[in-house]
Structures are given as structure tokens and as C-alpha cells.
Coordinates of all heavy atoms in Angstrom, one line a residue:
F1321 N 104.1 34.9 3.3 CA 104.0 33.8 2.4 C 104.9 34.0 1.1 O 105.2 33.0 0.5 CB 102.6 33.5 1.9 CG 101.7 33.0 2.9 CD1 100.6 33.7 3.4 CD2 101.9 31.7 3.4 CE1 99.8 33.1 4.4 CE2 101.1 31.2 4.4 CZ 100.0 31.9 4.9
V1322 N 105.2 35.2 0.8 CA 105.9 35.4 -0.4 C 107.4 35.5 -0.2 O 107.9 36.6 0.2 CB 105.4 36.7 -1.1 CG1 106.1 37.0 -2.4 CG2 103.9 36.6 -1.3
E1323 N 108.1 34.4 -0.3 CA 109.5 34.3 -0.3 C 109.9 33.6 -1.5 O 109.7 32.4 -1.6 CB 110.0 33.6 1.0 CG 109.6 34.4 2.3 CD 110.1 33.6 3.5 OE1 110.9 32.7 3.4 OE2 109.6 33.9 4.6
N1324 N 110.5 34.3 -2.5 CA 110.7 33.7 -3.8 C 111.4 32.3 -3.7 O 111.1 31.4 -4.4 CB 111.4 34.7 -4.7 CG 110.5 35.8 -5.2 OD1 109.3 35.6 -5.2 ND2 111.1 36.9 -5.4
E1325 N 112.5 32.3 -2.9 CA 113.2 31.0 -2.8 C 112.3 29.9 -2.3 O 112.4 28.7 -2.8 CB 114.4 31.2 -1.8 CG 115.4 32.2 -2.2 CD 115.0 33.7 -1.8 OE1 114.2 33.8 -0.8 OE2 115.4 34.6 -2.5
A1326 N 111.5 30.1 -1.3 CA 110.6 29.0 -0.8 C 109.6 28.7 -1.9 O 109.2 27.5 -2.0 CB 110.0 29.5 0.5
L1327 N 109.0 29.7 -2.6 CA 108.0 29.4 -3.6 C 108.6 28.5 -4.7 O 107.9 27.6 -5.2 CB 107.4 30.7 -4.2 CG 106.5 31.4 -3.2 CD1 106.1 32.7 -3.9 CD2 105.3 30.6 -2.8
V1328 N 109.8 28.8 -5.1 CA 110.4 28.0 -6.3 C 110.5 26.6 -5.9 O 110.3 25.7 -6.7 CB 111.7 28.6 -6.6 CG1 112.5 27.7 -7.6 CG2 111.5 30.0 -7.3
Q1329 N 110.8 26.3 -4.7 CA 110.9 24.9 -4.2 C 109.6 24.1 -4.3 O 109.6 22.9 -4.3 CB 111.5 24.8 -2.8 CG 112.9 25.3 -2.7 CD 113.3 25.3 -1.2 OE1 112.7 24.7 -0.4 NE2 114.4 26.0 -1.0
H1330 N 108.5 24.8 -4.2 CA 107.2 24.2 -4.1 C 106.3 24.7 -5.3 O 105.1 24.9 -5.1 CB 106.5 24.5 -2.8 CG 107.3 24.0 -1.6 ND1 107.4 22.7 -1.3 CD2 108.1 24.6 -0.8 CE1 108.2 22.5 -0.3 NE2 108.7 23.7 0.0
R1331 N 106.9 24.8 -6.5 CA 106.2 25.2 -7.7 C 105.7 24.0 -8.4 O 106.4 23.1 -8.6 CB 107.2 26.0 -8.5 CG 106.6 26.6 -9.8 CD 107.7 27.4 -10.5 NE 107.1 28.3 -11.4 CZ 107.4 28.2 -12.7 NH1 108.3 27.4 -13.2 NH2 106.8 29.0 -13.6
H1332 N 104.4 24.1 -8.9 CA 103.8 23.0 -9.6 C 103.2 23.5 -10.9 O 102.4 24.5 -10.8 CB 102.8 22.3 -8.8 CG 103.3 21.9 -7.4 ND1 104.2 20.9 -7.2 CD2 103.0 22.4 -6.2 CE1 104.4 20.8 -5.9 NE2 103.7 21.7 -5.3
E1333 N 103.5 22.9 -12.0 CA 102.9 23.3 -13.3 C 101.4 22.8 -13.3 O 101.1 21.7 -12.8 CB 103.6 22.6 -14.4 CG 105.1 23.1 -14.5 CD 105.2 24.5 -15.1 OE1 104.3 25.0 -15.8 OE2 106.2 25.1 -14.7
T1334 N 100.5 23.6 -13.9 CA 99.2 23.1 -14.1 C 99.1 22.4 -15.4 O 99.7 22.8 -16.4 CB 98.2 24.3 -14.1 OG1 98.5 25.2 -15.1 CG2 98.2 25.0 -12.7
P1335 N 98.3 21.3 -15.5 CA 98.2 20.5 -16.7 C 97.3 21.2 -17.8 O 96.5 22.1 -17.4 CB 97.6 19.2 -16.3 CG 96.9 19.5 -15.1 CD 97.6 20.7 -14.4
G1336 N 97.5 20.8 -19.0 CA 96.6 21.3 -20.1 C 97.1 22.5 -20.8 O 98.1 23.1 -20.4
A1337 N 96.3 22.9 -21.8 CA 96.6 24.0 -22.6 C 96.5 25.3 -21.8 O 95.7 25.4 -20.9 CB 95.7 24.1 -23.8
G1338 N 97.4 26.3 -22.1 CA 97.3 27.5 -21.3 C 98.3 27.6 -20.2 O 98.7 28.6 -19.8
G1339 N 98.6 26.4 -19.6 CA 99.6 26.3 -18.6 C 99.2 27.1 -17.3 O 98.1 27.4 -17.0
G1340 N 100.3 27.5 -16.6 CA 100.1 28.2 -15.4 C 100.9 27.5 -14.3 O 101.3 26.3 -14.5
V1341 N 101.1 28.1 -13.2 CA 101.7 27.5 -12.0 C 101.0 27.8 -10.7 O 100.3 28.8 -10.6 CB 103.2 27.9 -11.9 CG1 104.0 27.4 -13.1 CG2 103.3 29.4 -11.7
Y1342 N 101.1 26.9 -9.8 CA 100.6 27.1 -8.4 C 101.7 26.7 -7.5 O 102.7 26.0 -7.9 CB 99.2 26.4 -8.2 CG 99.3 24.9 -8.1 CD1 99.4 24.3 -6.8 CD2 99.2 24.2 -9.2 CE1 99.5 22.9 -6.8 CE2 99.2 22.8 -9.1 CZ 99.4 22.2 -7.9 OH 99.4 20.8 -7.8
Y1343 N 101.6 27.0 -6.2 CA 102.6 26.7 -5.3 C 102.1 26.0 -4.1 O 100.9 26.0 -3.8 CB 103.3 28.1 -4.9 CG 103.8 28.8 -6.1 CD1 103.0 29.7 -6.8 CD2 105.1 28.7 -6.5 CE1 103.5 30.4 -7.9 CE2 105.6 29.3 -7.6 CZ 104.8 30.2 -8.3 OH 105.3 30.9 -9.4
G1344 N 103.0 25.5 -3.3 CA 102.6 24.9 -2.0 C 102.4 23.4 -2.1 O 103.1 22.7 -2.8
V1345 N 101.3 22.9 -1.4 CA 101.0 21.5 -1.3 C 100.6 21.0 -2.7 O 99.8 21.7 -3.4 CB 99.8 21.3 -0.3 CG1 99.4 19.8 -0.3 CG2 100.2 21.7 1.1
K1346 N 101.2 19.9 -3.2 CA 100.9 19.4 -4.5 C 99.5 18.7 -4.5 O 99.2 18.0 -3.6 CB 101.9 18.4 -4.9 CG 101.7 17.8 -6.3 CD 102.9 17.0 -6.8 CE 102.7 16.4 -8.1 NZ 102.6 17.4 -9.2
V1347 N 98.7 19.0 -5.5 CA 97.4 18.5 -5.6 C 97.5 17.3 -6.6 O 97.8 17.5 -7.8 CB 96.4 19.5 -6.2 CG1 95.0 18.9 -6.5 CG2 96.3 20.7 -5.2
D1348 N 97.2 16.1 -6.1 CA 97.3 14.9 -6.9 C 95.9 14.3 -7.0 O 95.4 13.6 -6.1 CB 98.3 13.9 -6.3 CG 98.5 12.7 -7.2 OD1 97.8 12.5 -8.2 OD2 99.5 11.9 -6.9
L1349 N 95.2 14.5 -8.2 CA 93.9 14.0 -8.3 C 93.8 12.5 -8.6 O 92.7 12.0 -8.5 CB 93.2 14.8 -9.5 CG 92.9 16.3 -9.2 CD1 92.4 17.0 -10.4 CD2 91.9 16.4 -8.0
T1350 N 94.9 11.9 -8.8 CA 94.9 10.4 -9.0 C 94.8 9.8 -7.6 O 94.2 8.7 -7.4 CB 96.2 9.9 -9.7 OG1 97.3 10.3 -9.0 CG2 96.2 10.4 -11.1
K1351 N 95.4 10.5 -6.6 CA 95.3 9.9 -5.2 C 94.0 10.4 -4.5 O 93.4 9.6 -3.7 CB 96.4 10.5 -4.4 CG 97.8 9.8 -4.7 CD 98.9 10.3 -3.8 CE 100.2 9.7 -4.2 NZ 101.3 10.3 -3.4
D1352 N 93.5 11.6 -4.8 CA 92.3 12.1 -4.2 C 91.4 12.8 -5.3 O 91.6 14.0 -5.5 CB 92.6 13.0 -3.1 CG 91.4 13.5 -2.3 OD1 90.2 13.1 -2.6 OD2 91.5 14.4 -1.5
P1353 N 90.6 12.0 -6.0 CA 89.8 12.6 -7.1 C 88.9 13.7 -6.7 O 88.5 14.6 -7.5 CB 89.0 11.5 -7.7 CG 89.6 10.2 -7.1 CD 90.3 10.6 -5.8
S1354 N 88.5 13.8 -5.4 CA 87.6 14.8 -4.9 C 88.3 15.9 -4.1 O 87.7 16.6 -3.3 CB 86.5 14.2 -4.1 OG 87.0 13.6 -3.0
C1355 N 89.6 16.1 -4.4 CA 90.4 17.0 -3.6 C 89.8 18.4 -3.4 O 89.4 19.0 -4.4 CB 91.8 17.1 -4.3 SG 93.0 18.0 -3.3
T1356 N 89.9 18.9 -2.2 CA 89.4 20.2 -1.9 C 90.6 20.8 -1.0 O 91.1 20.2 -0.1 CB 88.1 20.2 -1.0 OG1 87.1 19.6 -1.8 CG2 87.7 21.6 -0.6
V1357 N 91.0 22.1 -1.4 CA 92.2 22.7 -0.8 C 91.9 24.1 -0.2 O 90.9 24.7 -0.6 CB 93.4 22.7 -1.7 CG1 93.7 21.4 -2.2 CG2 93.1 23.7 -2.9
L1358 N 92.7 24.5 0.7 CA 92.7 25.8 1.2 C 93.9 26.6 0.6 O 95.0 26.0 0.6 CB 92.9 25.8 2.7 CG 93.0 27.1 3.5 CD1 91.6 27.9 3.4 CD2 93.4 26.9 4.9
A1359 N 93.7 27.7 0.0 CA 94.8 28.4 -0.7 C 94.7 29.9 -0.4 O 93.6 30.5 -0.1 CB 94.7 28.2 -2.2
V1360 N 95.9 30.6 -0.6 CA 95.9 32.1 -0.4 C 96.5 32.6 -1.7 O 97.4 32.0 -2.4 CB 96.8 32.5 0.8 CG1 96.1 32.1 2.1 CG2 98.2 32.0 0.7
P1361 N 96.0 33.8 -2.2 CA 96.6 34.4 -3.4 C 98.0 34.9 -3.2 O 98.3 35.4 -2.1 CB 95.6 35.5 -3.7 CG 95.0 35.9 -2.4 CD 95.0 34.6 -1.6
I1362 N 98.8 34.7 -4.2 CA 100.2 35.3 -4.2 C 100.4 36.4 -5.1 O 101.4 37.0 -5.2 CB 101.3 34.2 -4.4 CG1 101.1 33.5 -5.8 CG2 101.2 33.1 -3.3 CD1 102.2 32.7 -6.2
S1363 N 99.3 36.8 -5.8 CA 99.3 38.0 -6.7 C 97.8 38.3 -6.9 O 96.9 37.5 -6.7 CB 100.1 37.7 -8.0 OG 99.4 36.8 -8.7
G1364 N 97.6 39.5 -7.4 CA 96.2 39.9 -7.8 C 95.3 40.2 -6.6 O 95.8 40.5 -5.5
P1365 N 94.0 40.1 -6.8 CA 93.1 40.5 -5.7 C 93.3 39.6 -4.5 O 93.4 38.4 -4.6 CB 91.7 40.2 -6.3 CG 91.9 40.2 -7.8 CD 93.3 39.8 -8.0
G1366 N 93.4 40.2 -3.3 CA 93.5 39.5 -2.1 C 95.0 39.3 -1.6 O 95.2 38.9 -0.5
F1367 N 95.9 39.6 -2.6 CA 97.3 39.4 -2.2 C 97.7 40.3 -1.1 O 97.4 41.5 -1.1 CB 98.2 39.7 -3.5 CG 99.7 39.8 -3.1 CD1 100.3 38.6 -2.8 CD2 100.3 41.0 -3.2 CE1 101.7 38.7 -2.5 CE2 101.7 41.0 -2.9 CZ 102.4 39.9 -2.6
G1368 N 98.4 39.8 -0.1 CA 98.9 40.6 1.0 C 97.9 40.8 2.1 O 98.2 41.5 3.1
S1369 N 96.7 40.2 2.0 CA 95.7 40.3 3.0 C 95.5 39.0 3.7 O 96.2 38.0 3.4 CB 94.4 40.8 2.4 OG 93.8 39.8 1.6
S1370 N 94.6 38.9 4.6 CA 94.3 37.6 5.2 C 93.3 36.8 4.5 O 92.7 35.9 5.1 CB 93.9 37.9 6.7 OG 92.7 38.7 6.7
R1371 N 93.0 37.1 3.3 CA 92.0 36.4 2.5 C 92.5 35.0 2.1 O 93.7 34.8 1.8 CB 91.8 37.2 1.2 CG 90.9 36.6 0.2 CD 90.9 37.4 -1.1 NE 89.5 37.7 -1.5 CZ 89.2 38.4 -2.5 NH1 90.1 39.0 -3.2 NH2 87.9 38.6 -2.8
F1372 N 91.6 34.0 2.2 CA 91.9 32.7 1.7 C 90.7 32.2 0.9 O 89.6 32.7 1.0 CB 92.3 31.7 2.8 CG 91.2 31.5 3.8 CD1 90.3 30.4 3.5 CD2 90.9 32.2 4.9 CE1 89.2 30.1 4.4 CE2 89.9 32.0 5.8 CZ 89.0 30.9 5.5
T1373 N 90.9 31.1 0.2 CA 89.9 30.5 -0.7 C 89.9 29.0 -0.5 O 91.0 28.4 -0.3 CB 90.2 30.9 -2.2 OG1 90.3 32.3 -2.3 CG2 89.1 30.3 -3.1
I1374 N 88.7 28.4 -0.5 CA 88.6 27.0 -0.5 C 88.2 26.6 -1.9 O 87.2 27.0 -2.4 CB 87.6 26.5 0.5 CG1 88.1 26.8 2.0 CG2 87.3 25.0 0.4 CD1 87.1 26.5 3.1
F1375 N 89.1 25.8 -2.6 CA 88.8 25.3 -3.9 C 88.4 23.9 -3.9 O 89.1 23.0 -3.3 CB 90.1 25.4 -4.8 CG 90.4 26.8 -5.2 CD1 91.5 27.5 -4.6 CD2 89.7 27.5 -6.1 CE1 91.9 28.7 -5.0 CE2 90.0 28.8 -6.5 CZ 91.1 29.4 -5.9
R1376 N 87.3 23.5 -4.5 CA 86.9 22.1 -4.8 C 87.5 21.7 -6.1 O 86.9 21.7 -7.1 CB 85.4 22.0 -4.8 CG 84.8 22.3 -3.4 CD 83.3 22.1 -3.3 NE 82.7 21.8 -4.6 CZ 81.4 21.7 -4.7 NH1 80.6 21.9 -3.8 NH2 80.9 21.3 -5.9
V1377 N 88.8 21.4 -6.1 CA 89.6 21.1 -7.3 C 89.0 19.9 -8.0 O 88.7 20.0 -9.2 CB 91.1 20.9 -7.0 CG1 91.8 20.6 -8.3 CG2 91.7 22.1 -6.3
G1378 N 88.8 18.8 -7.3 CA 88.2 17.6 -7.9 C 86.8 17.8 -8.4 O 86.4 17.1 -9.4
G1379 N 86.1 18.7 -7.9 CA 84.7 19.0 -8.3 C 84.6 20.0 -9.4 O 83.5 20.3 -9.9
S1380 N 85.7 20.5 -9.9 CA 85.7 21.5 -10.9 C 85.6 20.8 -12.3 O 86.0 19.6 -12.4 CB 86.9 22.4 -10.9 OG 86.9 23.0 -9.7
P1381 N 85.2 21.5 -13.3 CA 85.2 20.9 -14.7 C 86.7 20.4 -15.0 O 87.6 21.1 -14.6 CB 84.8 22.0 -15.6 CG 84.0 22.9 -14.7 CD 84.6 22.8 -13.4
S1382 N 86.8 19.3 -15.7 CA 88.1 18.8 -16.0 C 89.0 19.8 -16.7 O 90.3 19.7 -16.6 CB 88.0 17.5 -16.8 OG 87.3 17.7 -18.0
S1383 N 88.5 20.7 -17.5 CA 89.3 21.7 -18.2 C 89.9 22.7 -17.2 O 90.9 23.4 -17.5 CB 88.5 22.4 -19.2 OG 87.4 23.1 -18.6
L1384 N 89.4 22.8 -16.0 CA 89.9 23.8 -15.0 C 90.8 23.1 -13.9 O 91.9 23.4 -13.8 CB 88.8 24.5 -14.4 CG 88.0 25.5 -15.3 CD1 86.9 26.2 -14.5 CD2 89.0 26.6 -15.8
Q1385 N 90.2 22.2 -13.2 CA 90.8 21.5 -12.0 C 92.0 22.3 -11.5 O 91.9 23.3 -10.9 CB 91.0 20.1 -12.3 CG 89.6 19.4 -12.5 CD 89.7 17.9 -12.6 OE1 90.6 17.4 -13.1 NE2 88.6 17.3 -12.2
Q1386 N 93.2 21.7 -11.7 CA 94.4 22.4 -11.1 C 94.7 23.8 -11.6 O 95.3 24.6 -11.0 CB 95.7 21.5 -11.3 CG 95.7 20.4 -10.3 CD 95.8 19.1 -11.1 OE1 95.1 18.9 -12.1 NE2 96.6 18.1 -10.6
R1387 N 94.1 24.1 -12.8 CA 94.4 25.4 -13.4 C 93.7 26.5 -12.6 O 94.2 27.7 -12.6 CB 93.8 25.5 -14.8 CG 94.7 24.6 -15.8 CD 94.3 24.7 -17.2 NE 94.4 26.1 -17.7 CZ 93.7 26.6 -18.7 NH1 92.9 25.8 -19.4 NH2 93.9 27.9 -19.1
I1388 N 92.7 26.2 -11.8 CA 92.0 27.2 -11.0 C 93.0 27.7 -9.8 O 92.7 28.7 -9.2 CB 90.7 26.8 -10.4 CG1 90.8 25.6 -9.5 CG2 89.7 26.5 -11.5 CD1 89.5 25.2 -8.8
L1389 N 94.0 26.9 -9.6 CA 95.0 27.2 -8.5 C 96.1 28.2 -9.0 O 96.9 28.5 -8.2 CB 95.6 25.9 -8.0 CG 94.6 24.9 -7.4 CD1 95.4 23.6 -7.0 CD2 93.9 25.5 -6.2
A1390 N 96.1 28.5 -10.3 CA 97.2 29.4 -10.8 C 97.3 30.7 -10.0 O 96.3 31.3 -9.6 CB 96.9 29.7 -12.2
N1391 N 98.5 31.0 -9.6 CA 98.8 32.2 -8.8 C 98.3 32.1 -7.4 O 98.1 33.1 -6.7 CB 98.4 33.5 -9.5 CG 99.1 33.7 -10.8 OD1 100.3 33.4 -10.9 ND2 98.3 34.1 -11.8
Y1392 N 98.1 30.9 -6.9 CA 97.7 30.7 -5.5 C 98.8 29.8 -4.8 O 99.5 29.0 -5.4 CB 96.4 30.0 -5.4 CG 95.2 30.9 -5.4 CD1 94.7 31.4 -6.6 CD2 94.6 31.4 -4.3 CE1 93.6 32.3 -6.7 CE2 93.5 32.3 -4.3 CZ 93.1 32.7 -5.5 OH 92.0 33.6 -5.6
L1393 N 98.8 29.9 -3.5 CA 99.7 29.1 -2.6 C 98.7 28.1 -1.9 O 97.9 28.6 -1.1 CB 100.5 29.9 -1.7 CG 101.3 29.2 -0.6 CD1 102.4 28.3 -1.2 CD2 101.9 30.2 0.4
V1394 N 98.8 26.8 -2.2 CA 98.0 25.8 -1.5 C 98.6 25.6 -0.2 O 99.7 25.1 -0.1 CB 97.8 24.6 -2.3 CG1 97.0 23.5 -1.6 CG2 97.2 24.9 -3.7
I1395 N 97.9 25.9 0.9 CA 98.4 25.7 2.3 C 97.8 24.6 3.0 O 98.3 24.3 4.1 CB 98.3 27.0 3.1 CG1 96.9 27.4 3.3 CG2 99.2 28.1 2.4 CD1 96.7 28.6 4.2
G1396 N 96.8 23.9 2.5 CA 96.3 22.7 3.2 C 95.2 22.0 2.4 O 94.7 22.6 1.4
T1397 N 94.9 20.8 2.8 CA 93.8 20.1 2.1 C 92.7 19.8 3.1 O 92.9 19.6 4.3 CB 94.3 18.7 1.6 OG1 94.9 18.0 2.7 CG2 95.4 18.9 0.5
V1398 N 91.5 19.9 2.6 CA 90.3 19.6 3.5 C 90.1 18.1 3.5 O 89.9 17.5 2.5 CB 89.0 20.3 2.9 CG1 87.8 20.0 3.8 CG2 89.2 21.8 2.9
T1399 N 90.2 17.5 4.7 CA 90.1 16.1 4.9 C 88.8 15.6 5.5 O 88.5 14.4 5.4 CB 91.2 15.5 5.7 OG1 91.2 16.1 7.0 CG2 92.6 15.8 5.1
D1400 N 88.0 16.5 6.1 CA 86.8 16.1 6.7 C 85.8 17.3 6.7 O 86.3 18.4 6.8 CB 87.0 15.6 8.1 CG 85.8 14.9 8.7 OD1 85.0 14.4 8.0 OD2 85.7 14.9 10.0
G1401 N 84.6 17.0 6.4 CA 83.6 18.1 6.4 C 83.3 18.7 5.1 O 82.7 19.7 4.9
I1402 N 83.7 18.0 4.0 CA 83.5 18.4 2.6 C 82.0 18.7 2.4 O 81.6 19.6 1.7 CB 84.0 17.4 1.6 CG1 85.5 17.1 1.8 CG2 83.7 17.8 0.2 CD1 86.4 18.0 1.1
D1403 N 81.1 17.8 3.0 CA 79.7 18.0 2.8 C 79.2 19.3 3.3 O 78.2 19.8 2.8 CB 78.9 16.8 3.5 CG 79.3 16.7 5.0 OD1 80.5 16.9 5.3 OD2 78.4 16.4 5.8
I1404 N 79.8 19.9 4.3 CA 79.4 21.2 4.8 C 79.6 22.3 3.7 O 78.8 23.2 3.6 CB 80.3 21.6 6.0 CG1 80.0 20.6 7.1 CG2 80.0 23.0 6.4 CD1 81.0 20.7 8.2
L1405 N 80.6 22.1 2.8 CA 80.9 23.1 1.8 C 80.0 22.9 0.5 O 80.0 23.7 -0.3 CB 82.4 23.0 1.4 CG 83.4 23.1 2.5 CD1 84.8 22.8 2.0 CD2 83.3 24.5 3.1
A1406 N 79.3 21.8 0.5 CA 78.6 21.4 -0.7 C 77.3 22.3 -0.9 O 76.9 22.6 -2.1 CB 78.2 20.0 -0.7
G1407 N 76.7 22.8 0.1 CA 75.5 23.6 0.0 C 75.8 25.0 -0.4 O 76.9 25.4 -0.4
P1408 N 74.7 25.8 -0.7 CA 74.9 27.2 -1.1 C 75.4 28.0 0.1 O 76.0 29.1 -0.2 CB 73.5 27.6 -1.5 CG 72.6 26.6 -0.9 CD 73.3 25.3 -0.7
M1409 N 75.2 27.6 1.3 CA 75.7 28.4 2.4 C 76.4 27.4 3.4 O 75.8 26.4 3.7 CB 74.6 29.1 3.2 CG 73.8 30.0 2.3 SD 73.9 31.8 2.7 CE 73.9 32.0 4.3
A1410 N 77.6 27.7 3.9 CA 78.2 26.9 4.9 C 77.6 27.1 6.2 O 77.2 28.2 6.6 CB 79.7 27.3 4.9
R1411 N 77.4 26.0 7.0 CA 76.8 26.1 8.3 C 77.8 26.6 9.3 O 78.9 26.1 9.4 CB 76.3 24.7 8.7 CG 75.1 24.2 7.9 CD 74.6 22.9 8.3 NE 75.1 22.4 9.6 CZ 75.5 21.2 9.8 NH1 75.5 20.3 8.7 NH2 75.9 20.7 10.9
S1412 N 77.4 27.6 10.1 CA 78.3 28.2 11.1 C 78.5 27.3 12.3 O 79.5 27.4 13.0 CB 77.8 29.5 11.5 OG 76.6 29.4 12.2
D1413 N 77.6 26.3 12.5 CA 77.8 25.4 13.7 C 78.5 24.1 13.3 O 78.6 23.3 14.2 CB 76.4 25.1 14.2 CG 75.5 24.3 13.3 OD1 75.8 24.4 12.0 OD2 74.5 23.7 13.7
A1414 N 79.0 24.0 12.1 CA 79.7 22.8 11.7 C 81.2 23.2 11.5 O 81.6 24.3 11.5 CB 79.1 22.3 10.4
S1415 N 82.0 22.1 11.5 CA 83.5 22.4 11.3 C 84.0 21.6 10.1 O 83.5 20.6 9.8 CB 84.2 22.1 12.6 OG 84.1 20.7 12.9
V1416 N 85.1 22.1 9.6 CA 85.8 21.5 8.5 C 87.2 21.2 9.0 O 87.8 22.1 9.7 CB 85.9 22.5 7.3 CG1 86.7 21.9 6.2 CG2 84.5 22.7 6.8
V1417 N 87.8 20.0 8.7 CA 89.1 19.7 9.1 C 90.1 19.9 7.9 O 89.8 19.4 6.8 CB 89.2 18.2 9.5 CG1 90.6 17.9 9.9 CG2 88.3 18.0 10.7
I1418 N 91.1 20.7 8.2 CA 92.1 21.0 7.2 C 93.4 20.3 7.6 O 93.9 20.5 8.7 CB 92.3 22.5 7.0 CG1 91.0 23.1 6.5 CG2 93.4 22.8 6.0 CD1 91.0 24.6 6.5
A1419 N 94.0 19.5 6.7 CA 95.3 18.8 7.0 C 96.4 19.4 6.3 O 96.3 20.1 5.3 CB 95.1 17.3 6.6
D1420 N 97.6 19.2 6.8 CA 98.9 19.6 6.2 C 99.0 21.1 6.0 O 99.8 21.5 5.3 CB 99.0 18.9 4.8 CG 99.0 17.4 4.8 OD1 99.4 16.9 5.8 OD2 98.5 16.8 3.8
C1421 N 98.2 21.8 6.8 CA 98.3 23.3 6.6 C 99.7 23.8 7.1 O 100.1 23.6 8.3 CB 97.2 24.0 7.4 SG 97.0 25.7 7.0
G1422 N 100.4 24.4 6.2 CA 101.7 24.9 6.5 C 102.8 23.9 6.4 O 104.0 24.2 6.4
A1423 N 102.5 22.6 6.1 CA 103.5 21.6 5.9 C 104.0 21.6 4.5 O 103.3 21.7 3.6 CB 103.0 20.2 6.3
A1424 N 105.3 21.5 4.3 CA 105.9 21.4 3.0 C 105.6 20.0 2.5 O 105.8 19.1 3.1 CB 107.4 21.7 3.1
G1425 N 105.2 20.0 1.2 CA 104.9 18.7 0.7 C 105.0 18.7 -0.7 O 104.7 18.3 -1.7

């Protein structure tokens, strides 16, 4: 995932004070206010491993939202099954649909 030239092409500034950047699929909360994404770290804990994170960007406090994606590469958006992620434990017999995974956007 870490190819500097490719990352630069898909770099997105985070809004608000403090700034920061994230990479990959652009998160547009005006189009999808409840946006939930799949992301992998590009630095820090989990970098270089098979670790991934599901962020409920739209469900985060407004002061964080896209800022929680700083130093992550967004590789897909969750389009179906969000309700499965809402509880304290995800159900193992249910599935979540992730769209645009790996697609440049």
C-alpha cells in the first residue's frame, strides 16, 4: 500500500483546526452523512501488517469526523450492513458489504 507516488495522487486534507491528511477513497459527508469506511494504517501502530479498521466517520463527533482518518489509507466504503456494526459486538453470522475497495476514487 505504501507507494509515495500513488499516495500523493489520492491525498485528502482533513477539515478543521489541526489539519492532517488521509489517503485513498475520498470521504464526502455531504453525499453520505453516515459514511462508514474500511481503512489501513500507513504509519504508526499496525503499519505494515494486515490490520484494518472500520471507521464510522459520519457517526463521529463533528470535531473529529474526517480527522480520525489521518495517516490512514481509505480502501473502501461500507454500503450495506451498517446496523451489524452498531452493537457492542459484531455478529459473526452476518455480513457487511464493502464497495469500491481498491478502486481509485
Side-chain angles (χ1 to χ4, degrees):
F1321 288 115
V1322 181
E1323 296 178 16
N1324 288 333
E1325 300 81 28
L1327 287 178
V1328 169
Q1329 293 175 15
H1330 301 284
R1331 182 175 195 241
H1332 309 289
E1333 298 287 331
T1334 60
V1341 296
Y1342 70 95
Y1343 303 88
V1345 177
K1346 184 168 178 64
V1347 174
D1348 187 349
L1349 293 172
T1350 59
K1351 290 183 182 177
D1352 183 5
S1354 62
C1355 187
T1356 300
V1357 302
L1358 177 69
V1360 294
I1362 59 166
S1363 65
F1367 171 70
S1369 70
S1370 58
R1371 178 186 228 178
F1372 67 89
T1373 304
I1374 295 177
F1375 286 108
R1376 294 181 358 183
V1377 180
S1380 299
S1382 60
S1383 62
L1384 293 178
Q1385 293 188 330
Q1386 285 122 318
R1387 290 184 62 203
I1388 63 174
L1389 301 174
N1391 297 319
Y1392 275 84
L1393 172 64
V1394 177
I1395 60 173
T1397 56
V1398 177
T1399 59
D1400 193 24
I1402 302 268
D1403 53 321
I1404 297 165
L1405 304 172
M1409 302 244 323
R1411 293 183 6 226
S1412 62
D1413 63 339
S1415 61
V1416 174
V1417 177
I1418 297 170
D1420 302 327
C1421 192

